[in-house]
Amino acid sequence: MSAWLPTAPCTPRDCSTHQGPAAGALTGAVRLLAGIGLVLAGALTAPFLRVLGGDVRDLLTRHWARMVLRLFGLRVRVVGEPAPRRGSGVLVVANHVSWLDIPLLATVFPGRMLAKSEIRRWPLLGAMAALGGTLFVERERLRALPGTVRTLSTALAAGSRVIVFPEACTWCGRDEGRFTTAVFQAALDADAAVRPVRITYRAPDGEPSGAPAFVGDDTITASLWRVVTAGGLTAEITVLPLIPAGRHTDRRELAGDARSGIARTVTDGAARTAVMDGATDRVLHTAVASDSANLPSSSVHQCASSMPAPASSARTRS
């Protein structure tokens, strides 16, 4: 484990709690089998979808992602600005809570991912990612960073929609990490706009739920079971206003603008529902570097090292 990789104070014991009804073991087992079955079906059919037109492929992917979440027991709610149809490249940046973020984002922004190499070894999800054309990066290799930035910039310049999690690891959803900035350099290099997105998982009472949080030393097996046995979960994605290309010339300013937009979002259900017919091009999910270390960071997983917050910490516990 590298000392330079991101850390978070979130741990399963402190954060992964659900204030709401619980589903029984039988319901959980049925959800788990049904969800895994659909994920397997998606993994097997992903290579064949490449021959379809972009609009058809995106439509099928959005419906598949929404159904995966539904089978795992989550309702999907999209609020905020309408997601536009395909066009020029755009960088979509979101806070990072769980492995569920991937299918949730795919309900609006389907496409290709770039993720840490460890995911290739995950049971089921690793095979699905590989068959779906995921690009893998070795996060601890300093020399990999320039190539990662070039890959993202090339994709954006080609008109693709690229998704990243600039926090560089998962947080509980109530706390948030600072945004790393290397990925924003790719947007500047490609003269691409940035679309901030807020992800929230809610209990039936509308309060954030920690059940989907995939943090600390959590395992994918424990996380899956916790999700399928939590009752009344809603996966909420808020599409925020676009930051147009050219507004910033410094990647740190651009990262700060995107992060402040996500942090000040009030996801209280009052925002209007987003139009769901916006088609997308490829989506790249990436692990980006911690700016202070210039190292590719973790992604679609917990932080490399999660530490409990000190007693004096002012953070809100999940």
Side-chain angles (χ1 to χ4, degrees):
M1 179 185 299
S2 170
W4 293 107
L5 290 175
T7 61
C10 306
T11 64
R13 172 175 290 185
D14 289 340
C15 299
S16 301
T17 57
H18 177 62
Q19 302 299 324
L26 179 59
T27 298
V30 170
R31 287 176 174 176
L32 187 61
L33 290 174
I36 288 176
L38 187 57
V39 169
L40 279 173
L44 294 174
T45 58
F48 302 101
L49 293 180
R50 298 177 189 174
V51 303
L52 300 176
D55 288 341
V56 175
R57 184 172 64 249
D58 290 347
L59 180 63
L60 292 175
T61 300
R62 288 201 304 271
H63 284 302
W64 171 83
R66 182 176 284 265
M67 185 57 68
V68 166
L69 291 166
R70 193 71 187 100
L71 290 179
F72 279 133
L74 293 91
R75 297 182 181 276
V76 177
R77 183 168 183 267
V78 183
V79 299
E81 292 207 345
R85 294 183 178 274
R86 352 168 132 239
S88 57
V90 61
L91 181 71
V92 179
V93 296
N95 60 308
H96 202 8
V97 180
S98 172
W99 52 271
L100 286 166
D101 299 347
I102 302 304
L104 177 57
L105 285 166
T107 63
V108 183
F109 309 114
R112 197 177 182 189
M113 299 188 301
L114 175 66
K116 65 177 187 176
S117 58
E118 291 93 323
I119 292 176
R120 190 193 295 269
R121 298 190 293 271
W122 283 12
L124 184 63
L125 294 178
M128 174 188 161
L131 288 171
T134 297
L135 302 174
F136 296 98
V137 60
E138 294 187 26
R139 57 183 178 160
E140 295 192 27
R141 289 185 60 217
L142 174 62
R143 293 181 179 178
L145 177 60
T148 299
V149 174
R150 284 194 299 270
T151 296
L152 297 176
S153 179
T154 299
L156 289 166
S160 297
R161 184 175 280 160
V162 176
I163 289 184
V164 301
F165 298 105
E167 287 173 309
C169 63
T170 48
W171 287 64
C172 67
R174 296 194 181 191
D175 261 350
E176 296 174 348
R178 74 178 185 88
F179 276 12
T180 55
T181 63
V183 67
F184 292 94
Q185 186 61 49
L188 294 176
D189 292 345
D191 195 29
V194 174
R195 172 77 70 176
V197 171
R198 174 77 185 186
I199 291 172
T200 309
Y201 296 95
R202 297 192 181 279
D205 62 0
E207 292 298 311
S209 170
F214 188 43
V215 295
D217 58 355
D218 211 356
T219 65
I220 188 65
T221 302
S223 180
L224 278 165
W225 187 248
R226 190 169 59 246
V227 167
V228 298
T229 54
L233 284 177
T234 297
E236 184 177 278
I237 178 170
T238 302
V239 183
L240 300 170
L242 198 70
I243 301 175
R247 175 178 292 179
H248 300 284
T249 58
D250 180 84
R251 66 183 185 181
R252 291 173 180 79
E253 292 179 358
L254 180 56
D257 192 358
R259 186 183 186 280
S260 64
I262 291 173
R264 68 171 175 261
T265 302
V266 181
T267 50
D268 60 0
R272 61 190 173 86
T273 301
V275 176
M276 289 297 295
D277 64 352
T280 65
D281 195 359
R282 296 178 302 158
V283 174
L284 236 61
H285 168 71
T286 183
V288 298
S290 170
D291 196 56
S292 61
N294 259 1
L295 287 174
S297 62
S298 53
S299 183
V300 200
H301 198 26
Q302 311 96 311
C303 296
S305 173
S306 294
M307 302 178 296
S312 60
S313 172
R315 76 180 182 94
T316 303
R317 283 182 52 162
S318 300

